[in-house]
Amino acid sequence: MEESVACWEGLEDPRTGNAALHNLHDLLMIALDTVLCGGENATDMAEFAKAKEPLLRRFLRPANGVPSHRHFQPAVPVA
C-alpha cells in the first residue's frame, strides 16, 4: 500500500468542503481497484466499495464510511 500512496504523494487535492469528506488516496485506490475488476463508472466504484468494505478496511482508512458515487464524479465535467 505504501508504494501506491507514494505514487500520489505529490498530488494536490483540489477538493474543498464536503467534497473532501473522504481521503483522496482512498478514493484513488478504490477507483483503481474497481477499474482493474472491470468497473467503468462512479456507480460501479461506489458499489465495489460497498461490496468490498471489509477487505478495503484492511488497508484503507475510510473514516467517514464508504464513499457514494457522488464522491467519484468530477466536480466539473471532463471534456
Side-chain angles (χ1 to χ4, degrees), residues 3-25:
E3 292 91 11
S4 298
V5 172
C7 292
W8 300 312
E9 197 167 7
L11 184 63
E12 183 179 333
D13 188 351
R15 303 170 306 146
T16 60
N18 287 341
L21 186 63
H22 297 281
N23 180 290
L24 179 63
H25 295 138

Side-chain angles (χ1 to χ4, degrees), residues 42-75:
T43 302
D44 292 343
M45 292 173 193
E47 289 175 0
F48 177 88
K50 185 175 180 180
K52 301 295 184 183
E53 183 176 6
L55 173 66
L56 293 172
R57 285 192 179 276
R58 294 165 122 189
F59 59 93
L60 301 180
R61 293 173 180 74
N64 294 309
V66 176
S68 72
H69 70 281
R70 291 181 301 236
H71 292 97
F72 292 102
Q73 294 174 327

